[in-house]
Coordinates of all heavy atoms in Angstrom, one line a residue:
R556 N 0.8 -1.2 -0.1 CA 0.0 -0.1 0.0 C 0.9 1.2 0.0 O 0.4 2.3 -0.5 CB -0.9 -0.1 1.2 CG -2.0 1.1 1.2 CD -2.8 1.0 2.4 NE -2.0 1.3 3.6 CZ -2.6 1.7 4.7 NH1 -3.9 1.7 4.9 NH2 -1.8 1.9 5.8
E557 N 2.0 1.3 0.6 CA 2.7 2.4 0.8 C 4.0 2.5 -0.1 O 5.0 1.7 0.2 CB 3.2 2.6 2.2 CG 3.9 3.8 2.6 CD 3.0 5.1 2.4 OE1 1.9 5.2 2.8 OE2 3.5 6.0 1.7
P558 N 4.1 3.3 -1.1 CA 5.2 3.2 -2.0 C 6.5 3.9 -1.4 O 7.6 3.7 -1.8 CB 4.8 4.1 -3.3 CG 3.7 4.9 -2.7 CD 3.0 4.1 -1.6
R559 N 6.3 4.7 -0.3 CA 7.5 5.3 0.4 C 8.4 4.2 0.9 O 9.6 4.6 1.2 CB 7.0 6.1 1.5 CG 6.3 7.4 1.1 CD 6.0 8.3 2.3 NE 5.3 7.6 3.3 CZ 5.5 7.8 4.7 NH1 6.3 8.8 5.1 NH2 4.8 7.2 5.5
L560 N 7.9 3.0 1.2 CA 8.8 2.0 1.8 C 9.9 1.6 0.9 O 10.8 0.9 1.3 CB 7.9 0.8 2.3 CG 7.0 1.0 3.4 CD1 6.2 -0.1 3.8 CD2 7.8 1.4 4.7
S561 N 9.8 1.8 -0.4 CA 10.9 1.5 -1.3 C 12.0 2.5 -1.1 O 13.1 2.2 -1.5 CB 10.4 1.5 -2.8 OG 9.9 2.8 -3.1
D562 N 11.8 3.6 -0.5 CA 12.8 4.6 -0.2 C 13.4 4.4 1.2 O 12.6 4.6 2.2 CB 12.2 6.1 -0.3 CG 13.3 7.1 -0.1 OD1 14.5 6.8 0.0 OD2 12.9 8.3 0.0
P563 N 14.6 4.0 1.3 CA 15.1 3.7 2.7 C 15.2 4.9 3.6 O 15.1 4.9 4.9 CB 16.5 3.1 2.5 CG 16.6 2.8 1.0 CD 15.6 3.6 0.3
A564 N 15.3 6.2 3.0 CA 15.4 7.4 3.9 C 13.9 7.8 4.4 O 13.8 8.4 5.4 CB 15.9 8.5 3.1
A565 N 12.9 7.2 3.8 CA 11.5 7.6 4.3 C 11.2 6.9 5.6 O 10.4 7.4 6.3 CB 10.5 7.3 3.2
G566 N 11.7 5.7 5.8 CA 11.3 5.0 7.0 C 10.0 4.2 6.9 O 9.5 4.0 5.9
L567 N 9.6 3.8 8.1 CA 8.3 3.1 8.2 C 7.0 3.9 8.3 O 7.1 5.0 8.8 CB 8.3 2.2 9.4 CG 9.5 1.2 9.5 CD1 9.6 0.5 10.8 CD2 9.6 0.3 8.4
T568 N 6.0 3.3 7.8 CA 4.7 4.1 7.9 C 4.1 4.0 9.4 O 4.5 3.2 10.2 CB 3.6 3.5 6.9 OG1 3.4 2.1 7.4 CG2 4.1 3.5 5.5
D569 N 3.0 4.8 9.7 CA 2.5 4.8 10.9 C 1.8 3.5 11.2 O 1.9 2.9 12.3 CB 1.5 6.0 11.0 CG 2.1 7.3 11.0 OD1 3.3 7.4 11.4 OD2 1.5 8.3 10.7
G570 N 1.1 2.9 10.2 CA 0.5 1.7 10.4 C 1.4 0.5 10.7 O 1.2 -0.4 11.5
L571 N 2.6 0.6 10.0 CA 3.6 -0.5 10.2 C 4.2 -0.3 11.7 O 4.4 -1.3 12.3 CB 4.7 -0.4 9.2 CG 5.7 -1.5 9.1 CD1 4.9 -2.9 8.9 CD2 6.6 -1.3 7.9
Y572 N 4.5 1.0 12.0 CA 5.0 1.2 13.3 C 4.0 0.7 14.5 O 4.4 0.0 15.4 CB 5.2 2.7 13.6 CG 6.6 3.2 13.4 CD1 6.8 4.2 12.5 CD2 7.7 2.6 13.9 CE1 8.1 4.7 12.3 CE2 8.9 3.0 13.8 CZ 9.2 4.1 12.9 OH 10.5 4.5 12.6
R573 N 2.7 0.9 14.2 CA 1.7 0.5 15.2 C 1.7 -1.0 15.3 O 1.7 -1.6 16.4 CB 0.3 1.0 14.8 CG 0.1 2.5 15.2 CD -1.4 2.8 15.1 NE -1.9 2.6 13.8 CZ -1.9 3.4 12.8 NH1 -1.3 4.6 13.0 NH2 -2.4 3.2 11.6
E574 N 1.8 -1.7 14.2 CA 1.8 -3.1 14.1 C 3.0 -3.8 14.8 O 2.9 -4.7 15.6 CB 1.6 -3.7 12.7 CG 1.3 -5.1 12.6 CD 0.0 -5.5 13.3 OE1 -1.0 -4.8 13.4 OE2 0.0 -6.7 13.8
V575 N 4.2 -3.1 14.4 CA 5.4 -3.7 15.1 C 5.3 -3.4 16.6 O 5.7 -4.3 17.4 CB 6.6 -3.0 14.5 CG1 7.9 -3.3 15.3 CG2 6.8 -3.4 13.0
N576 N 4.9 -2.2 17.0 CA 4.8 -1.9 18.4 C 3.8 -2.9 19.2 O 4.0 -3.4 20.2 CB 4.4 -0.5 18.7 CG 5.5 0.5 18.4 OD1 6.7 0.0 18.3 ND2 5.2 1.7 18.1
R577 N 2.6 -3.2 18.6 CA 1.7 -4.1 19.1 C 2.3 -5.5 19.2 O 2.1 -6.2 20.2 CB 0.5 -4.2 18.2 CG -0.7 -4.9 18.8 CD -1.8 -5.3 17.9 NE -1.4 -6.1 16.8 CZ -1.1 -7.4 16.9 NH1 -1.1 -8.0 18.0 NH2 -0.7 -8.0 15.8
A578 N 3.0 -6.0 18.2 CA 3.6 -7.2 18.2 C 4.7 -7.4 19.3 O 4.8 -8.4 20.0 CB 4.2 -7.6 16.9
R579 N 5.5 -6.3 19.5 CA 6.5 -6.3 20.5 C 5.9 -6.3 21.9 O 6.4 -7.0 22.7 CB 7.4 -5.1 20.3 CG 8.3 -5.3 19.1 CD 9.2 -4.0 18.9 NE 10.3 -4.1 19.8 CZ 11.1 -3.1 20.0 NH1 10.8 -1.9 19.5 NH2 12.0 -3.2 20.9
G580 N 4.8 -5.6 22.1 CA 4.1 -5.6 23.3 C 3.5 -7.0 23.6 O 3.4 -7.5 24.7

């Protein structure tokens, strides 16, 4: 869904951050 992820400088999307944080928790 997010084309910015192909750019390493752009970083992760908010949705991906939320999912990673939820999984780590």
Side-chain angles (χ1 to χ4, degrees):
R556 191 178 68 160
E557 185 60 51
R559 290 186 307 146
L560 289 177
S561 61
D562 180 13
L567 300 176
T568 65
D569 292 337
L571 192 55
Y572 266 127
R573 279 193 305 276
E574 190 62 30
V575 169
N576 288 341
R577 189 194 60 73
R579 291 177 76 193

